[in-house]
Amino acid sequence: MREHHRAASAELLRQRHHGPGEPRGSRVVSLAAMNLDPSRIQRDIDDLSPDLREIAARIHANPELRFEEHRAAAWLAEAVEKRGIQVERGLAGMPTSLRARIGRGGGPHLAILAEYDALPEIGHACGHNLIAAGALGAFLALARQKDAVAGTIDLVGTPAEEGGGGKIRLLEAGAFEGVDAAMMFHPFDRDLLAHDTLASAWLELQFRGKPSHAALAPWDGNSALTACLDTFRLIDGQRVHFRDGVRVHGFIKSGGQAVNIIPELAVAEFSVRALDTEELARVRAIVERCARGAAMASGAELTLVDQGGYKNMVNNRKMARRFGEHLRALGRSPLEMDPAVGTGSTDMGDVSHALPAIHPWIAICGKGETTCHQHAFAERAASPAGQDSMLIAAKAMAMTCADLLLDPELRQGVREEFAQRKAGASAR
């Protein structure tokens, strides 16, 4: 079966760059002229697969939280450096970021992005270990032909996707300056090429009341915890006014000092999400209004702390569909989107507003079996089946990179779509 999929993909690439039945060398821009041989990509990733599986398993077994991914970043860098490729560390002031670069330059500049941070307590329940090893595999397969790459390909290690916004820091530091297109994949329970993600904002709400003995003189106190709890209730009462796709969820980080003290300080953290930044701003204003009202009712003081957030993902359909063609040739059956399933947020959304980008979702388990941020999903991220999907994603990404290098019509289509979407957003 693997040989069948490999042959199907090789034929797709041959037709893409030579035309059906067209002899090699018959086009002005041909593989002979460009030297890069896309038909090698699958074989090279299969050859790399023992190392890629080992790195994915090692990162999974050693989960590290945002901005603390020192071992994961080091393992990725070592895997690149031992193949004679220089690695730049500490981009944008983040010790766990990295970038490696191959190619002759003078052509398209592409970026393959890796994530590798884990979640508190539930580890790699978002499958970032697979994202990291898959990105590494795509890059290393292309690096085997680095002298033939008529352009530039970066592997960019991006820390702290889980709430830290590492890609935003990289954008602000100019790490994506001159990059023509960026890509990554994300594990899921189904294959989706261009599924939306939500714009998001994180808020910390700090309520400060007046302490007093909870039995002796409760009337002399103002409960910060009551204000905090009332905020949750007021937000729930406003949900009827939220548009479809909006998500507001939070938890209490601190709720008091002792059972016999009227709570002086209570702290809650909220995530506010919406389909676009305009609706996000509207819903955020509602959340802040609820917090102010609750604080006023309890005689507490409110401090709002903006903890940042992400833009919604704008998938480049032209690029995503080309990725999908390779995915189908590899034996998968992806949908473009699935309105029946929810979505989250990612700092890849911010990248997609700055340059053409894709963020396809790749199944590592059966549909509906489990999903991101669940214990069972963390188990699937360590499974042989999850690693198999990682290798398929690596192949599809590497072959999409090859297409972007070799197909000027695809590059033009990707640029035009991005320009049209950006113009449309500016006009709103």
Side-chain angles (χ1 to χ4, degrees):
M1 185 63 73
R2 176 182 292 175
E3 293 301 323
H4 169 75
H5 291 153
R6 185 184 290 164
S9 294
E11 176 61 16
L12 175 64
L13 287 163
R14 188 190 68 77
Q15 292 187 12
R16 181 77 63 204
H17 303 300
H18 295 280
E22 188 177 345
R24 290 185 180 271
S26 62
R27 287 190 176 187
V28 174
V29 180
S30 66
L31 291 184
M34 301 295 285
N35 296 322
L36 179 67
D37 182 4
S39 66
R40 283 185 48 185
I41 289 171
Q42 291 191 65
R43 296 194 304 272
D44 287 338
I45 289 177
D46 286 338
D47 185 53
L48 290 162
S49 65
D51 286 348
L52 300 176
R53 289 178 186 273
E54 192 276 331
I55 287 173
R58 203 188 317 169
I59 293 174
H60 188 280
N62 295 274
E64 299 168 295
L65 301 182
R66 63 191 186 199
F67 297 120
E68 298 175 5
E69 319 94 325
H70 298 284
R71 287 174 295 185
W75 293 330
L76 292 172
E78 289 164 8
V80 174
E81 287 174 330
K82 77 177 185 180
R83 291 166 171 87
I85 302 167
Q86 186 175 353
V87 175
E88 181 182 1
R89 294 170 170 84
L91 285 76
M94 296 182 292
T96 56
S97 66
L98 62 93
R99 178 170 59 195
R101 178 169 289 174
I102 59 168
R104 302 197 308 255
H109 189 167
L110 312 176
I112 303 170
L113 275 55
E115 298 173 357
Y116 30 87
D117 58 325
L119 293 158
E121 298 187 17
I122 56 176
H124 279 289
C126 215
H128 291 192
N129 62 309
L130 301 177
I131 296 173
L136 176 67
F139 179 79
L140 291 181
L142 293 162
R144 289 191 171 189
Q145 304 183 64
K146 60 181 182 294
D147 295 332
V149 172
T152 304
I153 300 175
D154 292 346
L155 172 67
V156 184
T158 65
E161 188 277 336
E162 296 291 355
K167 296 181 191 65
I168 299 172
R169 296 192 186 191
L170 290 167
L171 278 166
E172 292 171 346
F176 293 100
E177 192 71 33
V179 175
D180 297 301
M183 66 184 70
M184 61 171 287
F185 86 98
H186 199 292
F188 203 36
D189 72 335
R190 65 202 72 193
D191 294 340
L192 300 173
L193 301 178
H195 198 57
D196 290 331
T197 70
L198 303 174
S200 65
W202 294 289
L203 299 172
E204 184 176 88
L205 310 178
Q206 301 174 356
F207 299 90
R208 187 165 294 278
K210 178 185 175 185
S212 184
H213 195 292
L216 182 68
W219 49 83
D220 279 344
N222 296 324
S223 174
L225 179 59
T226 298
C228 186
L229 293 171
D230 283 345
T231 298
F232 280 82
R233 286 188 281 266
L234 288 170
I235 290 171
D236 286 344
Q238 292 297 306
R239 292 185 190 276
V240 68
H241 304 296
F242 294 167
R243 286 189 171 89
D244 292 348
V246 168
R247 298 288 186 270
V248 179
H249 39 96
F251 77 107
I252 297 174
K253 297 172 67 174
S254 175
Q257 311 97 296
V259 70
N260 61 346
I261 303 173
I262 298 295
E264 180 179 13
L265 177 67
V267 181
E269 193 170 293
F270 276 90
S271 174
V272 184
R273 311 185 196 224
L275 291 174
D276 54 48
T277 53
E278 290 81 4
E279 178 65 3
L280 177 67
R282 189 185 76 86
V283 177
R284 174 178 175 156
I286 293 173
V287 170
E288 292 182 5
R289 187 175 72 217
C290 290
R292 287 193 295 270
M296 183 183 299
S298 288
E301 296 179 359
L302 170 66
T303 301
L304 285 162
V305 181
D306 187 335
Q307 296 187 318
Y310 299 157
K311 294 180 180 178
N312 56 299
M313 183 72 202
V314 181
N315 282 284
N316 188 280
R317 295 292 199 275
K318 196 84 174 176
M319 189 165 32
R321 287 166 184 161
R322 183 61 63 89
F323 176 92
E325 290 180 25
H326 292 300
L327 207 56
R328 291 185 184 94
L330 289 162
R332 308 290 281 237
S333 301
L335 298 175
E336 191 153 301
M337 300 176 67
D338 188 349
V341 68
T343 187
S345 305
T346 172
D347 53 1
M348 190 65 171
D350 292 77
V351 175
S352 75
H353 283 254
L355 62 143
I358 58 171
H359 182 275
W361 303 76
I362 304 296
I364 65 168
C365 62
K367 186 176 178 180
E369 184 179 322
T370 181
T371 194
C372 303
H373 295 206
Q374 296 181 2
H375 288 292
F377 200 81
E379 295 171 4
R380 301 307 184 277
S383 70
Q387 294 175 0
D388 290 344
S389 290
M390 168 196 77
L391 295 173
I392 287 173
K395 292 174 182 179
M397 286 193 296
M399 290 187 288
T400 303
C401 283
D403 283 345
L404 288 164
L405 289 168
L406 297 168
D407 188 340
E409 292 181 7
L410 174 62
R411 293 198 301 273
Q412 181 64 22
V414 167
R415 284 193 298 265
E416 289 177 353
E417 180 184 328
F418 179 75
Q420 289 168 2
R421 287 201 170 209
K422 198 161 188 178
S426 299
R428 287 202 300 269

